[in-house]
Amino acid sequence: MPDTDAAALTADLIRCPSVTPEEGGALVVLEQMLTEAGFDCARADRGGVANLFARWGEKGHPRSFGFNGHTDVVPVGDRAAWTKDPFGAQIVDGVMYGRGATDMKSGVAAFAAAAVDFVRDTPPDGAVILAITGDEEGDAVDGTTALLEHMERTGEAMSVCLVGEPTCPDEMGEMMKIGRRGSMTAYFTVTGVQGHSAYPHRAKNPMPAIARLMDRLASHRLDEGSDHFDASTLAVVTIDTGNPANNVIPAQTRATVNIRFNDHHTGAGISDWLRAEADAVAEAFDVRIDMDVKISGESFLTPPGPLPDLVAAAVKAETGRDPVLSTTGGTSDARFVKNHCPVVEFGLVGKTMHQVDECVPVEQIHQLKAIYGRILRDYFA
């Protein structure tokens, strides 16, 4: 039987318009392929989001290699700006174009193809699991978390997990992720008393208070970094008042900050610090400051050891490069998986992800499949 063509599967997935939260047919394509290859498949849909769980091998086997990925994609944006059909999977000069070509339908296709060939050619003593969501690019509330809850309810488990996000900045094989920074956003509302700008003593101006608070937060250095993480960062991303009149002191203003934090902190600890800073400014300016915090994920690390070594060795064998063990970048669904089992990330070069004319060299898809196949062989050897 011929090897499974990861590039052809990538094209099939790209042709499915699966913009979050639409399934678009992508998981149907995967489920049919995996079922025909002997995988037990189940849907773990929740909240209008489609999710697919697939397992080859014994349920609950203590040696189960898992893969986590997503078939949903970000919106196309200005379609007129695309030179190729964003859902056409057109190949020009060896490069495949389409939304999701890099992030991350190619990664899902590469692992699915590698897994199908692996269990057919060298059936392992263990299980191979795919947990594929349609809600990574959105709020991620009903995606990988729903899959993990499905696994807990049904007695399924992964011993280790690989997430297929694009991890390489410029060249295939140069970087893998062994952790991610935590991410949180804080929303501040400062309320004073509206008044005439010619009579400021009759008002309570929230503007100096928000300016002072944002300056205090932005000027504070959270830390100097840690063994595996860069220094934590805080960015003031907006201050909004909406006051068009130059003779009116507004009653209220709002501001938002985004924080990416390392393993020196927790979301709760930073929230406490933000609240204390807001309270101090509120008292100094005699205004009220309300705060709402959304923690997208805590920082985590899979320390150098068996799983990172396994993936790094496979990458080196197939690309000739020793991947940097990195914790840079934004968030990924690995932040959910890390509560279930050890997790690392490795995938394609991500230079065109979310861009107009997103694309991937076809050869890189085949190379990624080879890396994933070697990881599976080495894990079960």
Side-chain angles (χ1 to χ4, degrees):
M1 184 178 294
D3 287 347
T4 306
D5 189 336
L9 180 56
T10 299
D12 288 342
L13 295 177
I14 288 173
R15 294 186 185 109
C16 299
S18 52
V19 177
T20 315
E22 297 299 323
E23 185 270 331
L27 292 183
V28 174
V29 169
L30 275 178
E31 183 172 3
Q32 180 178 346
M33 171 200 172
L34 292 170
T35 299
E36 290 175 354
F39 283 73
D40 292 322
C41 295
R43 291 287 285 270
D45 299 359
R46 191 176 75 185
V49 171
N51 301 296
L52 176 66
F53 175 85
R55 171 183 39 80
W56 186 97
E58 179 186 342
K59 180 179 180 178
H61 196 286
R63 194 162 181 77
S64 299
F65 191 95
F67 176 86
N68 172 248
H70 65 91
T71 54
D72 64 313
V73 297
V74 297
V76 168
D78 181 5
R79 196 174 186 117
W82 286 71
T83 64
K84 311 291 188 296
D85 181 353
F87 299 111
Q90 184 179 355
I91 298 175
V92 179
D93 296 330
V95 176
M96 184 181 299
Y97 289 82
R99 178 58 84 222
T102 300
D103 188 12
M104 58 173 289
K105 289 182 173 179
S106 47
V108 171
F111 188 86
V116 166
D117 289 354
F118 173 66
V119 300
R120 180 194 66 207
D121 298 339
T122 53
D125 179 17
V128 178
I129 289 172
L130 291 89
I132 311 299
T133 180
D135 188 37
E136 196 275 344
E137 298 290 8
D139 293 334
V141 173
D142 295 306
T144 294
T145 55
L147 282 160
L148 293 170
E149 290 172 12
H150 165 82
M151 292 170 65
E152 185 175 0
R153 286 194 310 271
T154 57
E156 303 279 4
M158 300 181 290
S159 305
V160 297
C161 184
L162 174 67
V163 176
E165 289 287 348
T167 58
C168 302
D170 297 298
E171 302 292 338
M172 192 68 173
E174 65 182 324
M175 183 178 289
M176 57 183 285
K177 306 285 187 179
I178 60 170
R180 293 276 187 165
R181 297 177 296 174
S183 176
M184 60 188 294
T185 302
Y187 305 88
F188 297 94
T189 301
V190 183
T191 303
V193 175
Q194 183 173 319
H196 197 298
S197 59
Y199 305 94
H201 59 285
R202 295 177 180 172
K204 290 183 180 179
N205 194 340
M207 300 304 294
I210 200 72
R212 178 69 59 83
L213 177 59
M214 292 301 103
D215 179 62
R216 287 178 63 148
L217 298 182
S219 299
H220 179 77
R221 190 163 181 84
L222 287 162
D223 56 69
E224 301 298 327
S226 65
D227 289 344
H228 294 283
F229 289 87
D230 292 336
S232 301
T233 61
L234 181 150
V236 179
V237 295
T238 187
I239 299 176
D240 302 300
T241 306
N243 177 22
N246 62 11
N247 60 348
V248 174
I249 293 172
Q252 197 171 76
T253 186
R254 294 175 175 83
T256 305
V257 301
N258 182 261
I259 302 170
R260 305 301 172 111
F261 57 95
N262 60 33
D263 52 353
H264 282 313
H265 306 277
T266 65
I270 293 178
S271 295
D272 290 343
W273 167 68
L274 293 171
R275 182 69 266 173
E277 290 292 309
D279 288 346
V281 171
E283 182 177 1
F285 287 86
D286 191 24
V287 295
R288 188 179 83 243
I289 301 181
D290 298 308
M291 182 182 82
D292 184 37
V293 172
K294 179 181 179 182
I295 301 173
S296 302
E298 300 286 348
S299 67
F300 72 92
L301 179 74
T302 300
L307 180 58
D309 290 350
L310 170 77
V311 175
V315 172
K316 175 67 178 293
E318 296 294 337
T319 69
R321 294 186 176 90
D322 286 308
V324 173
L325 306 185
S326 173
T327 59
T328 57
T331 59
S332 75
D333 277 5
R335 69 190 190 272
F336 306 124
V337 179
K338 56 94 174 173
N339 295 322
H340 178 87
C341 67
V343 58
V344 298
E345 302 174 55
F346 180 78
L348 292 172
V349 175
K351 288 193 290 188
T352 67
M353 58 183 174
H354 295 200
Q355 293 185 2
V356 167
D357 283 345
E358 182 179 350
C359 61
V360 57
V362 172
E363 181 55 36
Q364 283 190 12
I365 302 174
H366 296 307
Q367 192 173 27
L368 186 61
K369 179 195 171 185
I371 293 168
Y372 287 163
R374 183 178 289 273
I375 290 170
L376 287 169
R377 293 192 302 274
D378 291 350
Y379 179 77
F380 288 104

